[in-house]
Amino acid sequence: MFLIRRAEERDITPICQLLCQAGLHEEGVDKHIDHFLVIEREEDEQILGAVGIEVYGDEGLLRSFVIESEVWNGKVGLELFGAALSFAQYLRLTKVYLFAGVTKRFFEEAGFTQVPWEVLPVELKKSDHIHHAREKGGVLMVTSLSQVKQSQV
């Protein structure tokens, strides 16, 4: 059985280890840990996945979506992703941006649309994570949380 919860300071190292294992950028996790969620196995509290949101005013950047391959399946992925969007709504964010690579189609199905770099708000352009993601390639996408139905989340 799995539990999704807000991350705490003690979760920084396990989150960074997961990201490194997946070849993802871990810089800045410590600065945004208050806006991370983790998925853990209830019986041993081992962290098996994470997703973070960098908050800039009323807009956010979804980042660091990772789940251990041993537990990955569509249901677990959708639950963590849905929890992240619900969390963004709880934070009263109006829009959420992300960089997508091979997962572009998944995010399109979830209501995200591709946008050019130029539409990214100035505050979000200051994110170290966004610059690293842009260098690696991928597509900038956005969704308006007012359009996300509770049933999708």
Side-chain angles (χ1 to χ4, degrees), residues 97-118:
Y97 293 83
L98 59 82
F99 257 97
V102 295
T103 56
K104 178 185 173 213
R105 182 116 172 98
F106 170 82
F107 293 117
E108 286 173 335
E109 294 289 327
F112 282 77
T113 56
Q114 186 173 338
V115 292
W117 171 259
E118 295 74 32

Side-chain angles (χ1 to χ4, degrees), residues 3-146:
L3 169 74
I4 296 174
R5 64 170 175 79
R6 281 183 85 166
E8 302 171 0
E9 292 287 324
R10 66 185 169 100
D11 300 323
I12 293 171
T13 300
I15 291 170
C16 289
Q17 288 172 340
L18 276 174
L19 293 171
C20 286
Q21 289 169 0
L24 298 174
H25 180 67
E26 80 279 1
E27 189 175 319
V29 170
D30 57 336
K31 293 182 213 170
H32 300 281
I33 194 65
D34 292 341
H35 299 124
F36 266 78
L37 299 175
V38 295
I39 186 166
E40 67 183 11
R41 196 171 19 234
E42 283 188 285
E43 54 269 17
D44 61 7
E45 298 182 353
Q46 180 183 353
I47 294 177
L48 303 169
V51 63
I53 302 172
E54 291 186 14
V55 176
Y56 299 92
D58 66 348
E59 298 178 316
L61 173 65
L62 191 69
R63 61 162 292 175
S64 306
F65 184 76
V66 64
I67 299 175
E68 284 268 353
S69 59
E70 71 184 53
V71 296
W72 168 259
N73 65 46
K75 184 179 183 221
V76 172
L78 285 173
E79 285 182 24
L80 184 57
F81 182 70
L85 291 180
S86 290
F87 187 45
Q89 288 176 320
Y90 169 79
L91 295 171
R92 300 191 187 278
L93 301 180
T94 58
K95 291 183 182 176
V96 174
Y97 293 83
L98 59 82
F99 257 97
V102 295
T103 56
K104 178 185 173 213
R105 182 116 172 98
F106 170 82
F107 293 117
E108 286 173 335
E109 294 289 327
F112 282 77
T113 56
Q114 186 173 338
V115 292
W117 171 259
E118 295 74 32
V119 304
L120 189 67
V122 174
E123 285 299 308
L124 272 82
K125 286 182 181 177
K126 295 177 184 174
S127 164
D128 290 335
H129 183 77
I130 201 94
H131 287 284
H132 181 76
R134 188 174 185 209
E135 288 171 7
K136 282 186 87 172
V139 175
L140 180 63
M141 303 183 84
V142 66
T143 192
S144 172
L145 291 177
S146 63

